[in-house]
Amino acid sequence: MTTQTIPVRKFDAVIVGAGGSGLRAAIQLSEAGLKTAVLSKVFPTRSHTVAAQGGVSASLGNSEEDHWHWHMYDTVKGSDWLGDQDAIEYMCRMAPEVVVELEHFGMPFDRTDEGKIYQRPFGGHMSNFGEKPVRRACAAADRTGHAMLHALYQRNVRANTQFFVEWMALDLIRDQTGQVLGVIALEMETGDVVAFHAKATVFACGGAGRIFYSSTNAFINTGDGLGMAARAGIALEDMEFWQFHPTGVAGAGVLITEGVRGEGGILRNSTNERFMERYAPNAKDLASRDVVSRAMVTEINEGRGCGPNKDFVLLDITHLDPATIMKRLPGIREISIQFAGIDPIKAPIPVVPTCHYQMGGVPTNYKGQVVGDDHSPVPGFYAAGEVACASVHGANRLGTNSLLDLLVFGKSSGDTVIADIRAGKIGLQPLPDDFADRTLARLNRLDHQTGGSDVSETRLELQRTMQKHCGVFRFKDMLVEGVAKILDIEKAVAVTQIKDKSKVWNTARVEALELDNLIEVAKATMVSAEARKESRGAHVRDDAPDTPANPNGRDDVNWHKHTLWHRDGNRLSYKPVIMKPLSVETIALKTRSY
Amino acid sequence: MATSTMQFKIYRYDPDKDNAPYMQDISVEVNFDVDRKLLDILTRLKAKDDSLSYRRSCREGICGSDAMNINGKNGLACLTEIKDLKQPVVLRPLPGLPVIRDLIVDMTQFFKQYHSIKPYLINDGPRPDRERLQSPEDREELNGLYECILCACCSTSCPSFWWNPDKFVGPAGLLNAYRFIADTRDQATNERLDDLEDPYRLFRCHTIMNCVDVCPKGLNPTRAIGKIKEMMVRRAI
């Protein structure tokens, strides 16, 4: 096959990814009557949104007084002031509207006695600008992501959205002016390669949590959107910031929601102490995730871990009423029995911080447009959800803001596509003569590689390197060494070899192509982390300690800025944080404590 | 380290090179300290033989990708404890659907039936500014229904679905149909019952209850089907 013989299909819009943000964008586009294709590596309800548990935040105030402005303050503070305040204001203001809309789509939220959406406390959710915990997380038991993903898929069934299920997007198509013209994709069942030529391309293909060895993420979270964007010359923003969720099941990595602590769960060390009281006297177990994860690792490093190897702490809910556990946390009980072999009604759950979420991504604005280094939109290109960096999460995401991000920016990116097409700002520009050459060369190389490297061994090496050199606590020397190691692994990735050459459902080929994306994310992460010589949010390093001049090791003078990693030349540039919200006063820089 | 060798018999078929499917005998070193679930073993096998094909994603029983027939019974590989398995462990694709390759089946017919029940909330009333109210008791009616992960373990263990996959909605589709019938916010109960009042769509269920036996989420499609039938009877008198 050559670029000249590749089949081309034309659409108004192509959405890559059918998780929360892709499905939310698709609802806008399908209901507006645009010819839309939604591509997904898996059947939509198998997307990783399905695994979200605890809730989606919105200041509905169903159980006590709440306000979007307080939500905004918590999000800015949670981001350690690295989030862009225009996008954060937009998200928090839109939250009640998009959550109510989701309820109207059929989402089976739990209910209060008055029949309203049930809300529970969550880490970093406070009332009155950081004063005391507030119930803001809207929940469907501890299966909120599952309930939401199915509700969004169902709404798309009603809207007659056209899905391309089990298709993997391989590369972006851009022309000489930089306009994005669609994607080239692989149909997994047949091995066919097809170009999706579109006026608008929306990336909604999730994160890359699989760059780490120990991750709550699904196998499919391989940063495909980031790899495609990087190869097409789009810089990646703030990739040094990765969230380690405090409570992954020790050994298995499976997520235990923060909602467990929202319902009253307590973290304990080997002396049975509620150690979070020492680290966050006010919010305690409900401090921000980066704070709790660091406290846990400190306890373990100082010898107060539990178990024969003293390498985990305990999440205790044995004091809760079993009826509450059965009603509010039934999925957690199932997971604990399945993956920890214990019933949390009777015994505490062994947990460790586990890689969970990518705060960085493809740079966007709050309208869902992908932007270049100078904040100006890349024509024809949009992104939402974990693949995107709006940036609403900055250096650390608040729990439940991820599901909110999917709804708000899925919707806004869809609306922007509609507006841009109707205003004639984007049209079906001709494909360049060589638009698929690089992709076909990549596929060809893989099919004919001999004497190359093994995909699963190389991936494991990448994951172990990221885990060891770029974890919860980071060390200068380890980061420098990590960069060299990842660049070495890149050489192995360039010569991966597969034995399976079949056209039909070739998962070996898919995994090799995924590794091409993982390596881009690993490089971006390690290089960005090595360069940022301060501690902020989830990025904490030994040579940037807590001092009176730089509380928590944060250095606003030199580092209050977004990182941009460019694949070409493996180089970095920086851009300012947007401190001006849309309608309210700036939330000024301040020391972060819980 | 608690290691031992386990014997597997795995259904293999690659239409690109095989004339017919065959069962492959494989033995594998298992380390019980780290390998707990069947999916862990499949991952090990795939690292050695990259042509072994199966679907998987979340590895925690919520996405529904890795449904297969394990020692004669449908289940999810990621939730199947290996210690409990009788050897040789026989792995086959889900029964009753066309096989594409190895353990991967064509699920088109399964999703067609799911889509046929209009799996979305129907309420054409004016949209309130706030959420539609629903009492906690009414919301509880959805428990045991909305948790379906569409893995197809139930429908592909149902003899009625094997015989009439094009006409019988099957346990997964019917469970989801009842999920909307039972939702106090949904206004299409009558149309939904009309649609199912058919010798095939609903009434091919002969309460064999294989579906209940295999559901990895512990759901009970037979009970949901019973409730639909009950509502039909009630509305007839």
Side-chain angles (χ1 to χ4, degrees), chain A residues 252 254 334-341, chain B residues 6 8 30-44 59-61 66 76-85:
Chain A
V254 176
E334 248 178 76
I335 285 174
S336 302
I337 292 169
Q338 276 281 351
F339 292 97
Chain B
M6 279 184 82
F8 284 78
V30 177
N31 174 1
F32 288 106
D33 292 336
V34 290
D35 301 321
R36 295 193 49 187
K37 305 293 184 186
L38 175 58
L39 183 61
D40 298 329
I41 305 298
L42 287 171
T43 309
R44 254 178 209 279
R59 60 85 166 83
E60 58 185 73
D66 62 353
L76 300 180
C78 61
L79 295 185
T80 300
E81 202 75 35
I82 46 176
K83 276 189 185 148
D84 305 340
L85 291 172

Side-chain angles (χ1 to χ4, degrees), chain A residues 46 62 103-104 106 108 111 115 117 146 153-154 166 215 219 338-339 499-500 502-504 507, chain B residues 16 36-37 46 50 55 57 59 63 65 101 115 119 128 130-132 134 139 146 148 150 179 185:
Chain A
R46 319 220 187 283
N62 283 354
E103 193 280 330
H104 293 167
R111 300 288 168 159
I117 293 171
H146 169 273
Y153 177 66
Q154 290 159 356
E166 293 169 338
S215 173
F219 282 101
Q338 276 281 351
F339 292 97
K499 293 179 216 93
D500 183 1
S502 176
K503 290 273 283 173
V504 179
T507 45
Chain B
D16 256 9
R36 295 193 49 187
K37 305 293 184 186
K46 186 161 182 62
D50 69 4
R55 292 186 176 101
S57 184
R59 60 85 166 83
C63 80
S65 295
R101 181 177 178 176
H115 293 149
R130 292 290 306 224
E131 67 265 52
R132 292 199 168 93
Q134 184 173 51
R139 167 60 184 78
Y146 83 95
C148 174
L150 299 175
R179 177 249 172 275
R185 299 170 298 170

Side-chain angles (χ1 to χ4, degrees), chain A residues 42-43 45-48 50-51 53 59-62 100-117 140-143 146-147 150 153-155 157-158 166 189 210 215-221 252-255 327 330 334-335 337-341 354 454 456 459 497-508 511 514, chain B residues 14-17 34 36-37 39-40 43 46-66 78-81 100-101 104-108 110-111 114-115 118-124 127-137 139-140 142-152 176 179-180 183 185 216-217:
Chain A
V42 293
F43 184 78
T45 63
R46 319 220 187 283
S47 308
H48 196 53
V50 80
Q53 297 171 354
S59 56
L60 295 172
N62 283 354
V100 165
E101 235 167 32
L102 184 64
E103 193 280 330
H104 293 167
F105 292 165
M107 169 88 172
F109 281 113
D110 284 5
R111 300 288 168 159
T112 64
D113 288 342
E114 301 95 57
K116 297 177 181 171
I117 293 171
D142 52 2
R143 305 185 178 104
H146 169 273
H150 280 254
Y153 177 66
Q154 290 159 356
R155 184 74 181 188
V157 172
R158 182 183 145 132
E166 293 169 338
E189 185 178 336
R210 282 274 159 179
S215 173
T216 64
N217 281 205
F219 282 101
I220 56 171
N221 291 20
V254 176
L255 175 69
K327 186 170 179 191
E334 248 178 76
I335 285 174
I337 292 169
Q338 276 281 351
F339 292 97
T354 306
D454 180 84
S456 76
R459 185 177 52 218
Q497 183 183 349
I498 53 174
K499 293 179 216 93
D500 183 1
K501 309 288 187 189
S502 176
K503 290 273 283 173
V504 179
W505 248 103
N506 188 327
T507 45
E511 289 186 25
E514 288 173 336
Chain B
D14 175 359
D16 256 9
K17 63 181 178 65
V34 290
R36 295 193 49 187
K37 305 293 184 186
L39 183 61
D40 298 329
T43 309
K46 186 161 182 62
K48 283 204 184 127
D49 171 6
D50 69 4
S51 71
L52 177 64
S53 307
Y54 54 92
R55 292 186 176 101
R56 85 283 179 268
S57 184
C58 75
R59 60 85 166 83
E60 58 185 73
I62 190 73
C63 80
S65 295
D66 62 353
C78 61
L79 295 185
T80 300
E81 202 75 35
I100 300 173
R101 181 177 178 176
I104 297 172
V105 291
D106 179 352
M107 297 184 72
T108 308
F110 171 78
F111 288 122
Y114 171 68
H115 293 149
K118 297 194 176 168
Y120 43 82
L121 194 82
I122 299 176
N123 184 326
D124 296 325
R127 254 164 77 166
D129 289 341
R130 292 290 306 224
E131 67 265 52
R132 292 199 168 93
L133 298 181
Q134 184 173 51
S135 72
E137 297 71 36
R139 167 60 184 78
E140 281 210 5
L142 308 183
N143 286 348
L145 303 171
Y146 83 95
E147 300 94 323
C148 174
I149 59 173
L150 299 175
C151 65
N176 279 285
R179 177 249 172 275
F180 288 99
D183 195 324
R185 299 170 298 170
K217 304 309 283 182

Side-chain angles (χ1 to χ4, degrees), chain A residues 319-400:
Chain A
H319 54 287
L320 299 187
D321 177 8
T324 305
I325 297 174
M326 297 304 285
K327 186 170 179 191
R328 301 292 183 204
L329 305 166
I332 287 312
R333 181 164 178 254
E334 248 178 76
I335 285 174
S336 302
I337 292 169
Q338 276 281 351
F339 292 97
I342 63 114
D343 182 346
I345 291 175
K346 298 183 192 127
I349 313 164
V351 290
V352 284
T354 306
C355 174
H356 183 57
Y357 189 85
Q358 150 201 314
M359 266 77 73
V362 177
T364 62
N365 58 23
Y366 70 90
K367 296 172 186 161
Q369 295 169 307
V370 175
V371 293
D373 297 10
D374 58 350
H375 284 288
S376 67
V378 176
F381 196 19
Y382 309 78
E386 193 169 343
V387 69
C389 181
S391 152
V392 282
H393 310 306
N396 170 67
R397 175 173 70 75
L398 284 195
T400 71

Side-chain angles (χ1 to χ4, degrees), chain A residues 84-128:
Chain A
D84 289 330
Q85 295 196 13
D86 57 344
I88 294 176
E89 176 184 332
Y90 183 77
M91 180 176 81
C92 298
R93 265 173 61 180
M94 290 296 289
E97 182 184 319
V98 293
V99 167
V100 165
E101 235 167 32
L102 184 64
E103 193 280 330
H104 293 167
F105 292 165
M107 169 88 172
F109 281 113
D110 284 5
R111 300 288 168 159
T112 64
D113 288 342
E114 301 95 57
K116 297 177 181 171
I117 293 171
Y118 169 77
Q119 299 186 281
R120 62 161 56 112
F122 235 78
H125 295 194
M126 316 284 268
S127 67
N128 205 17

Side-chain angles (χ1 to χ4, degrees), chain A residues 57-58 67-75 92 95 136 401 404:
Chain A
S57 50
H67 195 282
W68 68 260
H69 203 175
W70 301 346
H71 184 186
M72 176 183 173
Y73 176 86
D74 294 342
T75 304
C92 298
R136 186 182 292 146
N401 268 354
L404 179 61

